[in-house]
Amino acid sequence: MAQGVCVITEFRDGAFRRVSFEVASEGKRLADALGEPLTAITLGDGVAAAAADLGQYGVEKVFAVDQPGLQDYLAETYAPVVAGLLQTLQPKVVLSAASVDGKDLSARVAARLGAGLAQDCTELQVEGGALKAKRPVYAGKALAWYEWADESWPQMASCRPNVMACLIIDSSKKAVVETPAVALSAAAKTRVVGVEAAAGKVDLAEAQVIISGGRGLKAPENFALLEELAQLLGGAVGASRAAVDAGWRPHAEQVGQTGKVVNPNLYMACGISGAIQHLAGMGSSKFIVAVNKDPEAPIFSKADYGVVADLFQFVPAFIEEVKKLKAAC
Ligand SMILES: Cc1cc2nc3c(=O)[nH]c(=O)nc-3n(C[C@H](O)[C@H](O)[C@H](O)COP(=O)(O)OP(=O)(O)OC[C@H]3O[C@@H](n4cnc5c(N)ncnc54)[C@H](O)[C@@H]3O)c2cc1C
């Protein structure tokens, strides 16, 4: 009989991504509610040595597939390995991250297992021994609760980054690590030939502070203002689709329905009107600050703090104040 919760973690560049700790913490909460064990599956190159650290978050046992061929995420290599392990482990609930790779992997694994999957969940509960998941729908206009049919196995959900708490239960606790022998598919039709990472930049999906700009910035060079502020606050720069379509910013920075869904502590929208498609990507941020010269701009209905001003006057003055505060600390 299926039992326990299993989390699928992400290991990149020699370390677990923060969202994996959030997923593990949420997994621990659900496993406790079910009174069942928490395990993890992790794939990567050099992952076995780091896997025991997941014990801090309450993971009892980690199944680590550690091979050079798993250094970079590749759907067609990862999905059969994860699906095969889940078939052996038979967990009741499977959680993963709703990151770009996590959503891709969990959809493929769910299809292989014939399982029901709720993507991009913002809340999970156990009721009557079964999983219930809440996720935003209709571009964030509504929230829907999902349940799994009795015959659906396993109950799979991916967790939106930066929403669930990251809780260390015991920093000295180590998980038991098993390294199952798994043969990778030799028939892979694709391979990663290189990864171009933006050096020193904070990943938008995991950023705690995002300073975003839209058409109101008027020209690409004006984004230097937002870059300066983002750097001062240890954050990342985001953009509206209008700014991306104009070629001012790369698509990787686009926030919204057809861009990234972000959930930082602080989202500062500068010169962005607040179209529904943009709100779909940042509406669940913890604090939203809007800077717009139009007091009727829809972004103000979503903002915790609204600044009706010309951003070219406000942002430089704000930067100076931040610098003064930082110097005084
Ligand atoms: C299918 C579909 C998917 C889409 N997906 C996305 C998406 O993922 N992300 C997204 O962002 N959009 C998306 N859009 C586009 C969306 O509908 C809007 O067109 C877009 O978000 C507008 O971008 P903006 O706010 O930068 O520009 P605008 O709507 O033109 O707003 C610019 C704002 O800047 C203000 N402003 C101008 N000058 C200044 C100044 N000096 N100081 C202060 N404020 C100033 C103006 O008052 C205005 O409110 C999508 C649309 C469709 C149809």
Side-chain angles (χ1 to χ4, degrees):
M1 200 179 101
Q3 221 211 3
V5 177
C6 182
V7 295
I8 301 168
T9 61
E10 287 183 24
F11 187 77
R12 302 283 180 273
D13 304 324
F16 285 107
R17 297 189 65 194
R18 184 194 142 89
V19 67
S20 292
F21 302 138
E22 294 168 13
V23 174
S25 302
E26 190 62 12
K28 172 66 178 157
R29 203 180 59 77
L30 297 181
D32 286 350
L34 288 164
E36 294 178 14
L38 174 66
T39 54
I41 291 176
T42 188
L43 275 58
D45 183 15
V47 74
D53 289 345
L54 292 171
Q56 296 177 71
Y57 299 91
V59 177
E60 288 156 47
K61 193 184 252 190
V62 185
F63 297 87
V65 185
D66 190 341
Q67 299 191 24
L70 294 169
Q71 183 180 354
D72 296 302
Y73 170 73
L74 200 56
E76 62 176 317
T77 317
Y78 270 52
V81 175
V82 173
L85 285 171
L86 289 174
Q87 252 150 354
T88 309
L89 299 174
Q90 295 279 310
K92 186 185 282 176
V93 171
V94 176
L95 300 185
S96 53
S99 58
V100 174
D101 292 350
K103 282 198 275 193
D104 184 42
L105 178 64
S106 45
R108 285 166 184 264
V109 170
R112 280 176 176 264
L113 299 176
L117 164 68
Q119 291 271 37
D120 202 21
C121 299
T122 52
E123 194 179 330
L124 298 169
Q125 281 179 14
V126 167
E127 230 177 69
L131 187 66
K132 274 185 80 179
K134 186 165 93 175
R135 57 184 290 262
V137 291
Y138 303 121
K141 274 275 185 202
L143 295 166
W145 278 100
Y146 289 79
E147 290 175 359
W148 280 255
D150 288 343
E151 63 279 12
S152 174
W153 172 87
Q155 298 164 12
M156 291 185 67
S158 68
C159 307
R160 181 177 283 197
N162 277 344
V163 172
M164 280 132 191
C166 203
L167 295 174
I168 292 182
I169 292 173
D170 177 352
S171 57
S172 63
K173 197 154 178 267
K174 298 281 178 201
V176 175
V177 180
E178 259 192 38
T179 49
V182 175
L184 301 187
S185 159
K189 294 187 189 71
T190 49
R191 69 193 166 92
V192 178
V193 290
V195 177
E196 278 182 33
K201 284 201 174 170
V202 180
D203 180 0
L204 203 61
E206 294 197 349
Q208 297 298 319
V209 173
I210 296 177
I211 312 295
S212 257
R215 208 189 319 256
L217 265 289
K218 300 202 170 25
E221 57 274 19
N222 293 332
F223 271 83
L225 260 184
L226 306 193
E227 271 165 5
E228 187 181 355
L229 182 54
Q231 205 181 10
L232 275 171
L233 299 176
V237 172
S240 71
R241 179 161 159 178
V244 171
D245 284 353
W248 299 349
R249 302 302 290 180
H251 182 260
E253 289 181 6
Q254 184 178 316
V255 173
Q257 190 181 321
T258 43
K260 289 199 171 122
V261 175
V262 296
N263 198 46
N265 282 330
L266 170 65
Y267 187 89
M268 191 162 167
C270 304
I272 293 177
S273 59
I276 175 77
Q277 296 89 355
H278 189 78
L279 300 181
M282 43 61 76
S284 59
S285 305
K286 289 169 196 86
F287 283 100
I288 299 172
V289 177
V291 185
N292 199 303
K293 65 180 185 183
D294 174 9
E296 303 297 325
I299 189 82
F300 286 127
S301 65
K302 199 77 184 170
D304 298 287
Y305 297 95
V307 182
V308 181
D310 183 328
L311 72 93
F312 296 105
Q313 288 173 0
F314 175 77
V315 177
F318 188 67
I319 287 174
E320 284 317 305
E321 289 306 313
V322 173
K323 280 183 182 164
K324 275 188 219 161
L325 276 173
K326 286 191 87 169
C329 288

